[in-house]
Amino acid sequence: MAKRLNIGFMVDDLNNYFTSQACKGAELAAKHLDANLIVFPGRYLGEPDGKFGSKEYEYQYNSVFSLASSQNIDILYVLLGTICSRASEKIQQEFLESLPDVPIVHLFAKVDGYQSVTFDNKSGFKNVVRHLIEGHHVKNIGYVSGPKTNQDALERLDACREAVAEFGLELSDKQIVYGDFTDESEDVVRELMKKNSKLDAIVFANDSMAVGGYKVIYEMGLVPGKDILVTGFDDDAVSIAMVPPLTTVEASSADLTYKAFINAPNYIKGTELTNMEVETYLVQRSSCGCEGLNYVEMYSRLHLESIFNGNNKFIDSIEKYLFGIFEEDAAVGKIKQKINAFLQAYASVLTGGSSSWDDVNNSFGSIVSPLLFSYTVPEKFYNVLAILQKTAVDAVNDLDSINSIHEIFTGFYRQLSFRAISIDSDDRSRSDKLNRLVNQRSEDVFLVSNDNEVSYEHLIDGLPNIGFKQTLMYLFQGNVHNSADVKWKRPNSILLKAVANRKGAIAPVEEQQLVRTVGIFDNEFVDNEDRATLVAFPLFVGDDLYGMLVVDSDCRSFADISPVANQLSITLKSLLLIEGQKKAKKTLQNSLEQFMRDNSLLDAISKSDELTGLYNRRGFLDHSQKAITDLQNKGKKTLVCYADMDNLKMVNDKFGHDEGDFALREIAAVLKETFRSTDIIGRLGGDEFVVFAIVGVENCEAVIKKRITEILKRHNENVSKPYPIDMSTGIYEFECSPDIDIYSVLDLADEKLYNEKTEKKARNGSYR
């Protein structure tokens, strides 16, 4: 079976409507491709100014960007325009250079040297400006742009300038200010109003900045839509809720990402693709001085003339308007059937067919549902009803028929409003259920955990019941402190502490917990039988970054990930403090017992590997950290040798696990023979071994590697197995000091091991 494609997607806040819609489009394309979608939701790069003070730890979210690797994704899509909306050119360039070596496509931003997919900004702003000038006789326009460092913002500014120039007007530098695409735009709007006292209208480069603009307009005693006209761009969910509702440009992020992601195989093959653009539409509301829906434009867009021409083009147009690319989603199929029946009955009534208004009324009731508003917004459904109502009224002449139509559609609006209230209530109920579940699990875990181990699996038990198909909780080893002024470096390995799926929740045994960080999306505990949508989310409190939560969930449950991760993070902080106290207490108790009884047998057993007789992970870390921090060893030349058996999987698969165990014992024997009895040798788990040795001299790497090679050769000759017993090694040399953390040293040795394995693979082909 061919390997399933892994598509990476770097985004900003999942709770941002624009971004959540983009994720839905990406997921739909991934389903059609039978590809895995791996989402990396960070926040925003760049130095926040004073108004972002309450978000001082927002940088922690960006740690997920470092998880993307050529080892876990085949192609990467990046929302560069939003992630870098307040970043300098230098920070943007550093971010681009940090991306993995895979095909990269940028969305909503054009970047030299990269493929990109963007909105048709020109036609969108031309429609806005044309409407303001021709429809409302505007002469003096102010413009609130995005950042000067943002390519999409500059393109929108150029589009607006061109549109104004077509009507013989000017958009001078005095009429332009630069925001940051967020709703914290009050300062720049005040600056604009101060420089231009007689503005007829303000055009915002996106809807979010218009939110701040409204605040300034109201504080000046003016009313948007009456005293000064206002328009936005993007048709964000916030735009319809503003008072008055914001005239904007409909730019479907879902349509754009679908169009981009469905071409993933072509991007990977290197097929030459021209940079694509997605069409935009003007959405008229009362902030521009209009009364509301433009019936003429809507009648034309939905092809309602086809009702009277005897074809169903209007049905296809309405479904496309409501659902966009989601009309192809299998989940929308049942909704489309019901809408189709409703529209067929409606058309039959208007053209004198066999249907009646009772048939139309009866077919409407089952359409409005939570599933419907997972794929469209109530405003669009309302617009469809409004234009259908006007079309029906225009098709009749007598007053009784007109009144009857108004009464029928009033009933539709009542059902729509009541159902919307019910859906909102259902959403709140689901949110409450989620909060109760996570809070209860957090409370229970303190009771369930015993004196020795924390029951991490209990923390995430039950999450599959709220839509998380799989949940994996990973914790970094040691104390991982991530400060805003220090560039985050992803540790090479991480511990898998708990897994939850439909079968229940488990905690992997200690020997199975160690996982390569790049492998958090694909290891023996990840169910990869079916395609998945995986999201990585950081677990942190303040500047302490504990680990990562990986969730397999469809996009409709994305809003639940953040509250779950936040609650788990708070619980983890308490648990880790308690766990540290328990360990300290246990260490003190063991020391006292050892002193009193001079018997360390139990401690030795708990820190030894049953298969090889070496130290296990706990034993190795314990003894090596003590040796590093021992003041008697300060300044002594020391090394850590990270070793990895090369072909364990092949031996297990071809010759059986008994032979695999034999090979692991041979590796242990080779390491014992290579090093001294006073050196600390351990098996970290699986096929990974490590040695700590105080050598007293520098540059021992070549000597030790040569010795390992010679001893391996002799062992292979003696055992005469049908498979080679071999290992790769990474040796890192340093001086002992109380300031050195064993985990950092292991990471450095692991990097050298990885380089050797990569060289072997390039030289000999895959051997695992």
Side-chain angles (χ1 to χ4, degrees):
M1 188 174 95
K3 176 182 175 290
R4 184 176 282 118
L5 196 65
N6 290 324
I7 304 177
F9 193 18
M10 286 187 179
V11 302
D12 59 314
D13 189 354
L14 289 177
N15 293 317
N16 179 312
Y17 176 78
F18 184 87
T19 302
S20 68
Q21 291 299 108
C23 288
K24 287 181 179 179
E27 183 179 58
L28 181 60
K31 287 179 179 177
H32 286 178
L33 294 171
D34 189 36
N36 294 321
L37 175 64
I38 302 176
V39 183
F40 304 92
R43 285 294 190 272
Y44 310 102
L45 299 177
E47 288 295 326
D49 55 31
K51 63 194 174 204
F52 296 105
S54 61
K55 302 177 182 179
E56 60 181 321
Y57 297 111
E58 191 176 70
Y59 68 88
Q60 291 280 28
Y61 294 101
N62 298 331
S63 59
V64 301
F65 294 148
S66 70
L67 300 176
S69 163
S70 59
Q71 294 173 266
N72 53 37
I73 56 174
D74 301 299
I75 184 171
L76 178 64
Y77 292 82
V78 185
L79 288 188
L80 190 72
T82 53
I83 293 170
C84 292
S85 62
R86 65 189 192 209
S88 66
E89 290 183 6
K90 179 183 177 184
I91 291 175
Q92 290 188 48
Q93 187 59 39
E94 289 175 350
F95 177 65
L96 291 173
E97 291 172 356
S98 72
L99 298 178
D101 185 18
V102 296
I104 293 173
V105 182
H106 291 291
L107 306 179
F108 315 110
K110 291 180 180 177
V111 184
D112 291 341
Y114 292 90
Q115 295 276 10
S116 64
V117 184
T118 63
F119 289 130
D120 181 5
N121 288 316
K122 283 193 176 182
S123 66
F125 276 102
K126 281 182 181 179
N127 288 338
V128 166
V129 172
R130 183 181 297 116
H131 177 70
L132 289 173
I133 295 174
E134 293 182 339
H136 299 284
H137 311 294
V138 163
K139 299 293 184 186
N140 198 3
I141 296 175
Y143 185 76
V144 181
S145 172
K148 292 181 180 180
T149 57
N150 184 281
Q151 190 62 37
D152 195 42
L154 296 179
E155 185 175 300
R156 293 185 181 190
L157 173 57
D158 288 342
C160 194
R161 274 183 168 142
E162 286 183 25
V164 169
E166 284 184 11
F167 291 92
L169 300 176
E170 183 185 9
L171 191 63
S172 67
D173 291 343
K174 188 176 94 167
Q175 293 165 269
I176 302 167
V177 291
Y178 297 88
D180 56 11
F181 279 145
T182 75
D183 57 9
E184 303 281 354
S185 61
E186 292 97 319
D187 290 344
V188 295
V189 176
R190 289 190 189 99
E191 177 189 344
L192 178 69
M193 300 289 276
K194 184 178 180 180
K195 291 192 298 185
N196 303 270
S197 59
K198 296 182 179 180
L199 290 178
D200 299 321
I202 302 177
V203 175
F204 287 86
N206 77 341
D207 295 342
S208 292
M209 290 192 296
V211 173
Y214 267 39
K215 294 177 184 176
V216 174
I217 293 170
Y218 278 121
E219 75 182 23
M220 294 179 68
L222 305 176
V223 178
K226 291 184 179 179
D227 302 309
I228 187 166
L229 309 187
V230 181
T231 65
F233 198 100
D234 287 341
D235 197 20
D236 197 302
V238 70
S239 60
I240 185 61
M242 295 169 68
V243 182
L246 179 68
T247 294
T248 183
V249 174
E250 178 187 333
S252 172
S253 57
D255 283 10
L256 189 145
T257 52
Y258 177 83
K259 190 174 183 179
F261 277 65
I262 206 69
N263 274 293
N266 295 325
Y267 287 124
I268 292 172
K269 292 174 186 174
T271 305
E272 189 67 27
L273 295 172
T274 57
N275 287 338
M276 295 179 282
E277 289 187 340
V278 171
E279 194 173 2
T280 56
Y281 299 93
L282 179 66
V283 180
Q284 289 179 209
R285 301 188 182 114
S286 47
S287 74
C288 69
C290 288
E291 291 302 318
L293 185 65
N294 185 328
Y295 289 100
V296 175
E297 189 274 338
M298 187 59 67
Y299 187 92
S300 174
R301 181 176 176 182
L302 300 183
H303 297 285
L304 292 183
E305 75 284 349
S306 67
I307 295 173
F308 307 101
N309 296 336
N311 65 60
N312 291 332
K313 188 174 183 179
F314 79 101
I315 296 179
D316 294 336
S317 299
I318 287 173
E319 290 175 347
K320 181 68 176 176
Y321 171 70
L322 288 175
F323 303 116
I325 47 94
F326 297 121
E327 65 174 335
E328 303 298 328
D329 195 325
V332 179
K334 291 183 179 179
I335 304 174
K336 286 174 61 177
Q337 288 178 3
K338 295 172 182 178
I339 291 176
N340 194 291
F342 167 71
L343 294 175
Q344 291 279 12
Y346 169 86
S348 176
V349 172
L350 264 58
T351 55
S354 59
S355 297
S356 67
W357 281 113
D358 284 340
D359 296 325
V360 177
N361 193 33
N362 292 335
S363 62
F364 180 81
S366 61
I367 294 175
V368 185
S369 66
L371 188 60
L372 170 69
F373 295 122
S374 293
Y375 294 97
T376 190
V377 292
E379 183 193 18
K380 284 191 173 184
F381 197 71
Y382 170 86
N383 290 345
V384 169
L385 291 179
I387 192 63
L388 291 178
Q389 180 180 358
K390 187 175 188 308
T391 302
V393 168
D394 290 345
V396 299
N397 296 316
D398 62 290
L399 187 60
D400 288 342
S401 296
I402 291 174
N403 288 336
S404 178
I405 290 169
H406 285 318
E407 185 178 343
I408 288 169
F409 276 85
T410 298
F412 292 163
Y413 298 133
R414 283 172 59 84
Q415 289 187 56
L416 180 61
S417 61
F418 290 152
R419 194 68 187 98
I421 293 172
S422 174
I423 292 170
D424 184 57
S425 177
D426 290 344
D427 289 342
R428 286 200 303 271
S429 175
R430 186 173 185 277
S431 178
D432 290 343
K433 179 181 177 182
L434 170 67
N435 289 332
R436 286 196 302 272
L437 172 66
V438 178
N439 288 334
Q440 186 62 54
R441 288 287 181 264
S442 298
E443 292 172 7
D444 290 349
V445 77
F446 292 102
L447 302 175
V448 173
S449 300
N450 57 44
D451 288 338
N452 298 317
E453 298 293 338
V454 174
S455 301
Y456 291 104
E457 73 278 14
H458 194 71
L459 274 175
I460 59 175
D461 190 16
L463 291 182
N465 298 328
I466 62 164
F468 293 2
K469 301 169 193 173
Q470 294 184 79
T471 304
L472 302 98
M473 181 190 289
Y474 296 91
L475 297 184
F476 294 120
Q477 302 178 82
N479 180 27
V480 180
H481 193 72
N482 185 22
S483 300
D485 56 352
V486 177
K487 187 176 180 180
W488 165 251
K489 186 178 185 300
R490 181 198 73 212
N492 291 332
S493 59
I494 196 169
L495 298 177
L496 176 57
K497 303 301 287 188
V499 181
N501 52 38
R502 295 290 183 185
K503 298 176 184 178
I506 63 167
V509 297
E510 190 171 17
E511 291 75 15
Q512 296 175 310
Q513 290 181 11
L514 190 68
V515 174
R516 297 274 180 183
T517 308
V518 294
I520 63 175
F521 307 109
D522 184 16
N523 54 66
E524 62 179 305
F525 290 96
V526 179
D527 182 4
N528 55 13
E529 183 176 345
D530 300 318
R531 70 151 301 279
T533 298
L534 299 167
V535 182
F537 213 86
L539 298 170
F540 71 93
V541 174
D543 52 14
D544 287 328
L545 182 60
Y546 304 123
M548 293 287 168
L549 194 70
V550 173
V551 175
D552 177 2
S553 167
D554 64 48
C555 288
R556 283 180 291 172
S557 297
F558 275 11
D560 296 330
I561 298 176
S562 181
V564 168
N566 291 340
Q567 181 59 52
L568 288 175
S569 298
I570 293 169
T571 305
L572 280 171
K573 180 176 182 178
S574 299
L575 284 173
L576 292 172
L577 285 172
I578 293 172
E579 190 178 40
Q581 291 172 349
K582 287 181 178 178
K583 285 182 178 179
K585 181 179 178 182
K586 185 178 179 181
T587 300
L588 178 60
Q589 182 179 344
N590 288 342
S591 298
L592 288 171
E593 289 177 354
Q594 183 174 343
F595 176 77
M596 293 173 64
R597 299 182 303 172
D598 195 25
N599 184 358
S600 59
L601 179 60
L602 292 176
D603 183 62
I605 292 173
S606 70
K607 296 177 181 178
S608 65
D609 176 58
E610 185 177 353
L611 178 66
T612 62
L614 303 177
Y615 286 117
N616 61 14
R617 185 175 67 87
R618 180 188 299 173
F620 174 82
L621 293 173
D622 231 18
H623 286 280
S624 56
Q625 186 65 61
K626 287 177 183 175
I628 288 175
T629 56
D630 190 335
L631 292 178
Q632 292 185 357
N633 294 330
K634 186 175 182 180
K636 291 184 179 179
K637 307 296 182 184
T638 310
L639 65 80
V640 163
C641 174
Y642 214 125
D644 188 330
M645 182 175 168
D646 287 341
N647 54 357
L648 178 61
K649 187 176 187 302
M650 180 273 289
V651 173
N652 283 334
D653 292 347
K654 192 171 182 180
F655 301 102
H657 284 270
D658 287 344
E659 287 296 323
D661 289 347
F662 174 82
L664 289 171
R665 285 193 293 269
E666 282 296 301
I667 293 291
V670 168
L671 291 174
K672 284 188 200 176
E673 193 172 336
T674 302
F675 291 92
R676 302 162 299 190
S677 60
T678 54
D679 296 330
I680 303 168
I681 308 175
R683 178 185 172 215
L684 295 184
D687 56 2
E688 297 188 351
F689 296 79
V690 66
V691 181
F692 174 94
I694 296 175
V695 292
V697 295
E698 295 181 345
N699 303 321
C700 297
E701 181 176 358
V703 174
I704 290 173
K705 282 181 176 287
K706 180 181 178 183
R707 189 171 180 185
I708 288 174
T709 301
E710 292 172 350
I711 297 172
L712 272 170
K713 181 180 179 182
R714 177 158 35 85
H715 274 250
N716 275 299
E717 290 172 353
N718 290 339
V719 299
S720 298
K721 291 291 183 180
Y723 52 83
I725 299 173
D726 200 0
M727 73 176 92
S728 298
T729 56
I731 297 174
Y732 179 74
E733 300 182 46
F734 62 101
E735 292 183 0
C736 282
S737 168
D739 299 328
I740 290 179
D741 178 23
I742 184 61
Y743 295 105
S744 301
V745 173
L746 288 175
D747 260 359
L748 293 167
D750 189 34
E751 285 182 11
K752 300 191 74 173
L753 167 66
Y754 175 74
N755 291 337
E756 178 171 309
K757 290 172 74 67
T758 302
E759 291 172 5
K760 274 190 178 180
K761 187 174 182 179
R763 192 168 58 246
N764 305 325
S766 179
Y767 50 78
R768 295 191 64 80

